[in-house]
Short mmCIF file of all heavy atoms in Angstrom, two decimals:
data_model
loop_
_atom_site.label_atom_id
_atom_site.label_comp_id
_atom_site.label_asym_id
_atom_site.label_seq_id
_atom_site.Cartn_x
_atom_site.Cartn_y
_atom_site.Cartn_z
N LEU A 96 -21.52 -3.40 -14.98
CA LEU A 96 -22.42 -3.68 -16.09
C LEU A 96 -22.44 -2.54 -17.10
O LEU A 96 -22.23 -1.37 -16.73
CB LEU A 96 -23.86 -3.88 -15.57
CG LEU A 96 -24.09 -5.04 -14.59
CD1 LEU A 96 -25.43 -4.88 -13.91
CD2 LEU A 96 -24.02 -6.37 -15.33
N ASP A 97 -22.73 -2.86 -18.35
CA ASP A 97 -22.96 -1.83 -19.37
C ASP A 97 -24.39 -1.30 -19.28
O ASP A 97 -24.70 -0.24 -19.81
CB ASP A 97 -22.70 -2.39 -20.77
CG ASP A 97 -21.23 -2.74 -20.99
OD1 ASP A 97 -20.38 -2.05 -20.40
OD2 ASP A 97 -20.95 -3.69 -21.74
N ASN A 98 -25.24 -2.05 -18.61
CA ASN A 98 -26.66 -1.68 -18.48
C ASN A 98 -26.84 -0.78 -17.26
O ASN A 98 -26.94 -1.25 -16.12
CB ASN A 98 -27.50 -2.96 -18.35
CG ASN A 98 -28.99 -2.68 -18.37
OD1 ASN A 98 -29.44 -1.59 -18.05
ND2 ASN A 98 -29.76 -3.70 -18.74
N HIS A 99 -26.87 0.54 -17.48
CA HIS A 99 -26.97 1.48 -16.35
C HIS A 99 -28.31 1.41 -15.65
O HIS A 99 -28.40 1.64 -14.44
CB HIS A 99 -26.70 2.90 -16.84
CG HIS A 99 -25.24 3.18 -17.06
ND1 HIS A 99 -24.73 4.45 -17.16
CD2 HIS A 99 -24.18 2.34 -17.20
CE1 HIS A 99 -23.42 4.39 -17.35
NE2 HIS A 99 -23.07 3.12 -17.39
N ASP A 100 -29.37 1.10 -16.38
CA ASP A 100 -30.69 0.99 -15.75
C ASP A 100 -30.71 -0.15 -14.74
O ASP A 100 -31.24 -0.01 -13.63
CB ASP A 100 -31.78 0.78 -16.81
CG ASP A 100 -32.03 2.03 -17.64
OD1 ASP A 100 -31.73 3.14 -17.14
OD2 ASP A 100 -32.51 1.90 -18.78
N LEU A 101 -30.14 -1.29 -15.12
CA LEU A 101 -30.08 -2.43 -14.20
C LEU A 101 -29.18 -2.09 -13.01
O LEU A 101 -29.51 -2.43 -11.87
CB LEU A 101 -29.56 -3.67 -14.92
CG LEU A 101 -29.39 -4.93 -14.07
CD1 LEU A 101 -30.69 -5.30 -13.38
CD2 LEU A 101 -28.86 -6.09 -14.90
N SER A 102 -28.07 -1.40 -13.26
CA SER A 102 -27.19 -1.00 -12.16
C SER A 102 -27.95 -0.14 -11.16
O SER A 102 -27.83 -0.30 -9.93
CB SER A 102 -25.98 -0.22 -12.69
OG SER A 102 -25.04 -1.09 -13.28
N ARG A 103 -28.74 0.81 -11.66
CA ARG A 103 -29.50 1.69 -10.77
C ARG A 103 -30.50 0.90 -9.93
O ARG A 103 -30.68 1.16 -8.74
CB ARG A 103 -30.23 2.76 -11.59
CG ARG A 103 -29.30 3.81 -12.16
CD ARG A 103 -30.08 4.86 -12.96
NE ARG A 103 -29.17 5.82 -13.54
CZ ARG A 103 -28.66 6.88 -12.91
NH1 ARG A 103 -28.99 7.10 -11.64
NH2 ARG A 103 -27.83 7.70 -13.52
N ARG A 104 -31.17 -0.09 -10.56
CA ARG A 104 -32.13 -0.90 -9.81
C ARG A 104 -31.43 -1.71 -8.73
O ARG A 104 -31.95 -1.84 -7.60
CB ARG A 104 -32.90 -1.81 -10.77
CG ARG A 104 -33.84 -1.07 -11.71
CD ARG A 104 -34.91 -1.99 -12.28
NE ARG A 104 -34.35 -3.09 -13.06
CZ ARG A 104 -34.05 -3.00 -14.37
NH1 ARG A 104 -34.24 -1.86 -15.01
NH2 ARG A 104 -33.56 -4.04 -15.00
N ILE A 105 -30.26 -2.26 -9.05
CA ILE A 105 -29.51 -3.04 -8.05
C ILE A 105 -29.06 -2.13 -6.91
O ILE A 105 -29.10 -2.53 -5.73
CB ILE A 105 -28.30 -3.73 -8.71
CG1 ILE A 105 -28.78 -4.78 -9.72
CG2 ILE A 105 -27.40 -4.37 -7.65
CD1 ILE A 105 -27.66 -5.40 -10.54
N VAL A 106 -28.64 -0.90 -7.23
CA VAL A 106 -28.26 0.05 -6.19
C VAL A 106 -29.44 0.33 -5.27
O VAL A 106 -29.31 0.34 -4.03
CB VAL A 106 -27.75 1.37 -6.82
CG1 VAL A 106 -27.63 2.47 -5.76
CG2 VAL A 106 -26.39 1.14 -7.48
N GLU A 107 -30.62 0.58 -5.84
CA GLU A 107 -31.81 0.85 -5.04
C GLU A 107 -32.15 -0.33 -4.13
O GLU A 107 -32.48 -0.15 -2.95
CB GLU A 107 -32.99 1.17 -5.96
CG GLU A 107 -32.85 2.50 -6.69
CD GLU A 107 -33.90 2.68 -7.78
OE1 GLU A 107 -34.74 1.77 -7.94
OE2 GLU A 107 -33.87 3.72 -8.47
N MET A 108 -32.07 -1.55 -4.67
CA MET A 108 -32.34 -2.75 -3.87
C MET A 108 -31.34 -2.87 -2.72
O MET A 108 -31.70 -3.25 -1.60
CB MET A 108 -32.27 -4.01 -4.75
CG MET A 108 -33.33 -4.10 -5.83
SD MET A 108 -33.04 -5.56 -6.89
CE MET A 108 -34.04 -5.14 -8.32
N SER A 109 -30.08 -2.58 -3.02
CA SER A 109 -29.03 -2.69 -2.00
C SER A 109 -29.26 -1.66 -0.89
O SER A 109 -29.12 -1.97 0.30
CB SER A 109 -27.65 -2.47 -2.62
OG SER A 109 -27.39 -3.42 -3.63
N ARG A 110 -29.64 -0.45 -1.29
CA ARG A 110 -29.87 0.60 -0.29
C ARG A 110 -31.05 0.25 0.62
O ARG A 110 -31.03 0.53 1.82
CB ARG A 110 -30.15 1.93 -1.01
CG ARG A 110 -28.94 2.46 -1.77
CD ARG A 110 -28.31 3.66 -1.09
NE ARG A 110 -27.01 3.96 -1.69
CZ ARG A 110 -26.81 4.67 -2.78
NH1 ARG A 110 -27.86 5.15 -3.44
NH2 ARG A 110 -25.60 4.90 -3.22
N GLU A 111 -32.07 -0.38 0.04
CA GLU A 111 -33.23 -0.80 0.85
C GLU A 111 -32.81 -1.78 1.93
O GLU A 111 -33.40 -1.82 3.01
CB GLU A 111 -34.30 -1.43 -0.06
CG GLU A 111 -35.02 -0.43 -0.95
CD GLU A 111 -35.96 -1.11 -1.93
OE1 GLU A 111 -36.03 -2.36 -1.90
OE2 GLU A 111 -36.61 -0.39 -2.72
N ARG A 112 -31.76 -2.57 1.64
CA ARG A 112 -31.27 -3.56 2.60
C ARG A 112 -30.06 -3.05 3.38
O ARG A 112 -29.44 -3.80 4.11
CB ARG A 112 -30.90 -4.85 1.85
CG ARG A 112 -32.10 -5.58 1.31
CD ARG A 112 -31.72 -6.56 0.21
NE ARG A 112 -32.89 -7.30 -0.26
CZ ARG A 112 -33.84 -6.78 -1.03
NH1 ARG A 112 -33.75 -5.53 -1.44
NH2 ARG A 112 -34.87 -7.51 -1.40
N ARG A 113 -29.72 -1.78 3.19
CA ARG A 113 -28.58 -1.15 3.87
C ARG A 113 -27.27 -1.88 3.59
O ARG A 113 -26.45 -2.10 4.47
CB ARG A 113 -28.83 -1.06 5.39
CG ARG A 113 -30.03 -0.23 5.76
CD ARG A 113 -30.20 -0.11 7.27
NE ARG A 113 -31.36 0.66 7.61
CZ ARG A 113 -31.44 1.99 7.67
NH1 ARG A 113 -30.36 2.70 7.38
NH2 ARG A 113 -32.55 2.61 8.01
N ILE A 114 -27.10 -2.29 2.32
CA ILE A 114 -25.87 -2.94 1.90
C ILE A 114 -25.03 -1.93 1.12
O ILE A 114 -25.52 -1.32 0.16
CB ILE A 114 -26.17 -4.16 0.98
CG1 ILE A 114 -27.08 -5.16 1.69
CG2 ILE A 114 -24.86 -4.83 0.55
CD1 ILE A 114 -27.56 -6.29 0.77
N PRO A 115 -23.78 -1.69 1.51
CA PRO A 115 -22.92 -0.77 0.76
C PRO A 115 -22.78 -1.23 -0.68
O PRO A 115 -22.60 -2.42 -0.96
CB PRO A 115 -21.57 -0.85 1.50
CG PRO A 115 -21.90 -1.40 2.84
CD PRO A 115 -23.08 -2.30 2.66
N VAL A 116 -22.86 -0.28 -1.62
CA VAL A 116 -22.89 -0.64 -3.03
C VAL A 116 -22.03 0.31 -3.86
O VAL A 116 -21.92 1.49 -3.56
CB VAL A 116 -24.34 -0.66 -3.57
CG1 VAL A 116 -24.99 0.71 -3.43
CG2 VAL A 116 -24.41 -1.15 -5.01
N ASN A 117 -21.40 -0.26 -4.90
CA ASN A 117 -20.62 0.52 -5.85
C ASN A 117 -21.08 0.15 -7.25
O ASN A 117 -21.12 -1.04 -7.60
CB ASN A 117 -19.12 0.24 -5.70
CG ASN A 117 -18.28 0.89 -6.77
OD1 ASN A 117 -18.19 0.40 -7.90
ND2 ASN A 117 -17.64 1.99 -6.45
N ALA A 118 -21.42 1.16 -8.05
CA ALA A 118 -21.81 0.94 -9.44
C ALA A 118 -20.73 1.50 -10.33
O ALA A 118 -20.51 2.72 -10.35
CB ALA A 118 -23.15 1.61 -9.73
N ALA A 119 -20.04 0.65 -11.06
CA ALA A 119 -18.91 1.08 -11.89
C ALA A 119 -19.37 2.11 -12.91
O ALA A 119 -20.40 1.95 -13.57
CB ALA A 119 -18.29 -0.12 -12.59
N ASP A 120 -18.56 3.18 -13.03
CA ASP A 120 -18.79 4.23 -14.02
C ASP A 120 -20.03 5.08 -13.76
O ASP A 120 -20.46 5.85 -14.62
CB ASP A 120 -18.86 3.67 -15.45
CG ASP A 120 -17.55 3.01 -15.88
OD1 ASP A 120 -16.50 3.49 -15.43
OD2 ASP A 120 -17.59 2.02 -16.62
N ILE A 121 -20.64 4.95 -12.57
CA ILE A 121 -21.77 5.83 -12.20
C ILE A 121 -21.46 6.40 -10.82
O ILE A 121 -22.04 5.97 -9.81
CB ILE A 121 -23.12 5.08 -12.19
CG1 ILE A 121 -23.24 4.12 -13.39
CG2 ILE A 121 -24.28 6.07 -12.20
CD1 ILE A 121 -24.52 3.33 -13.41
N PRO A 122 -20.54 7.36 -10.72
CA PRO A 122 -20.07 7.85 -9.41
C PRO A 122 -21.17 8.32 -8.48
O PRO A 122 -21.10 8.10 -7.26
CB PRO A 122 -19.15 9.02 -9.80
CG PRO A 122 -18.70 8.71 -11.19
CD PRO A 122 -19.87 8.03 -11.84
N ASP A 123 -22.22 8.96 -9.03
CA ASP A 123 -23.26 9.51 -8.17
C ASP A 123 -24.08 8.43 -7.47
O ASP A 123 -24.82 8.72 -6.52
CB ASP A 123 -24.18 10.44 -8.96
CG ASP A 123 -24.90 9.72 -10.10
OD1 ASP A 123 -24.20 9.12 -10.94
OD2 ASP A 123 -26.14 9.75 -10.15
N LEU A 124 -23.95 7.16 -7.91
CA LEU A 124 -24.68 6.07 -7.27
C LEU A 124 -23.83 5.32 -6.24
O LEU A 124 -24.36 4.44 -5.55
CB LEU A 124 -25.15 5.06 -8.34
CG LEU A 124 -26.22 5.53 -9.32
CD1 LEU A 124 -26.63 4.37 -10.23
CD2 LEU A 124 -27.44 6.08 -8.58
N CYS A 125 -22.56 5.65 -6.14
CA CYS A 125 -21.64 4.85 -5.33
C CYS A 125 -21.61 5.30 -3.87
O CYS A 125 -21.56 6.50 -3.58
CB CYS A 125 -20.22 4.93 -5.89
SG CYS A 125 -20.05 4.23 -7.54
N ASP A 126 -21.61 4.32 -2.97
CA ASP A 126 -21.37 4.61 -1.55
C ASP A 126 -19.89 4.76 -1.28
O ASP A 126 -19.49 5.33 -0.26
CB ASP A 126 -21.93 3.47 -0.68
CG ASP A 126 -23.45 3.43 -0.68
OD1 ASP A 126 -24.06 4.52 -0.75
OD2 ASP A 126 -24.02 2.33 -0.61
N PHE A 127 -19.06 4.23 -2.17
CA PHE A 127 -17.61 4.29 -2.00
C PHE A 127 -16.96 4.12 -3.38
O PHE A 127 -17.61 3.68 -4.32
CB PHE A 127 -17.11 3.18 -1.05
CG PHE A 127 -17.52 1.80 -1.47
CD1 PHE A 127 -16.70 1.03 -2.28
CD2 PHE A 127 -18.73 1.27 -1.06
CE1 PHE A 127 -17.09 -0.24 -2.69
CE2 PHE A 127 -19.13 0.00 -1.46
CZ PHE A 127 -18.29 -0.76 -2.28
N TYR A 128 -15.68 4.50 -3.47
CA TYR A 128 -14.93 4.37 -4.71
C TYR A 128 -13.74 3.45 -4.49
O TYR A 128 -13.29 3.25 -3.37
CB TYR A 128 -14.43 5.74 -5.19
CG TYR A 128 -15.52 6.78 -5.32
CD1 TYR A 128 -15.56 7.88 -4.48
CD2 TYR A 128 -16.50 6.66 -6.30
CE1 TYR A 128 -16.56 8.84 -4.59
CE2 TYR A 128 -17.50 7.61 -6.42
CZ TYR A 128 -17.53 8.69 -5.56
OH TYR A 128 -18.52 9.62 -5.67
N PHE A 129 -13.19 2.95 -5.59
CA PHE A 129 -12.02 2.08 -5.51
C PHE A 129 -10.72 2.85 -5.66
O PHE A 129 -9.80 2.68 -4.89
CB PHE A 129 -12.10 0.95 -6.53
CG PHE A 129 -12.96 -0.19 -6.08
CD1 PHE A 129 -14.33 -0.16 -6.24
CD2 PHE A 129 -12.38 -1.29 -5.46
CE1 PHE A 129 -15.13 -1.20 -5.81
CE2 PHE A 129 -13.17 -2.34 -5.01
CZ PHE A 129 -14.55 -2.30 -5.18
N GLY A 130 -10.61 3.70 -6.65
CA GLY A 130 -9.38 4.47 -6.84
C GLY A 130 -8.23 3.62 -7.33
O GLY A 130 -8.32 2.40 -7.46
N ALA A 131 -7.11 4.28 -7.62
CA ALA A 131 -5.88 3.58 -8.01
C ALA A 131 -5.16 3.14 -6.75
O ALA A 131 -5.13 3.87 -5.76
CB ALA A 131 -4.99 4.51 -8.84
N GLN A 132 -4.58 1.95 -6.78
CA GLN A 132 -3.97 1.39 -5.57
C GLN A 132 -2.55 0.92 -5.83
O GLN A 132 -2.24 0.38 -6.88
CB GLN A 132 -4.81 0.22 -5.06
CG GLN A 132 -6.23 0.60 -4.70
CD GLN A 132 -7.05 -0.60 -4.26
OE1 GLN A 132 -6.54 -1.53 -3.64
NE2 GLN A 132 -8.33 -0.58 -4.60
N ILE A 133 -1.71 1.15 -4.83
CA ILE A 133 -0.36 0.61 -4.81
C ILE A 133 -0.30 -0.40 -3.68
O ILE A 133 -0.64 -0.08 -2.54
CB ILE A 133 0.68 1.72 -4.59
CG1 ILE A 133 0.65 2.72 -5.74
CG2 ILE A 133 2.09 1.13 -4.44
CD1 ILE A 133 1.52 3.94 -5.51
N ARG A 134 0.12 -1.61 -3.99
CA ARG A 134 0.19 -2.66 -2.97
C ARG A 134 1.58 -3.29 -2.94
O ARG A 134 2.15 -3.61 -3.97
CB ARG A 134 -0.85 -3.76 -3.24
CG ARG A 134 -2.28 -3.31 -3.05
CD ARG A 134 -3.25 -4.45 -3.33
NE ARG A 134 -4.62 -4.05 -3.13
CZ ARG A 134 -5.26 -4.13 -1.97
NH1 ARG A 134 -4.63 -4.59 -0.91
NH2 ARG A 134 -6.51 -3.74 -1.87
N ASP A 135 2.09 -3.45 -1.74
CA ASP A 135 3.36 -4.15 -1.54
C ASP A 135 3.25 -4.85 -0.19
O ASP A 135 3.60 -4.29 0.84
CB ASP A 135 4.53 -3.16 -1.55
CG ASP A 135 5.88 -3.84 -1.35
OD1 ASP A 135 5.92 -5.09 -1.34
OD2 ASP A 135 6.89 -3.13 -1.17
#
Side-chain angles (χ1 to χ4, degrees):
L96 299 165
D97 293 328
N98 187 336
H99 283 197
D100 289 336
L101 178 56
S102 285
R103 288 181 183 277
R104 292 200 299 273
I105 294 173
V106 168
E107 291 170 0
M108 295 175 197
S109 300
R110 294 252 168 83
E111 288 174 0
R112 291 161 178 74
R113 299 182 181 277
I114 303 172
V116 60
N117 173 280
D120 297 327
I121 318 179
D123 61 304
L124 293 184
C125 296
D126 290 326
F127 55 92
Y128 306 112
F129 278 84
Q132 300 177 34
I133 297 172
R134 292 180 179 271
D135 181 7

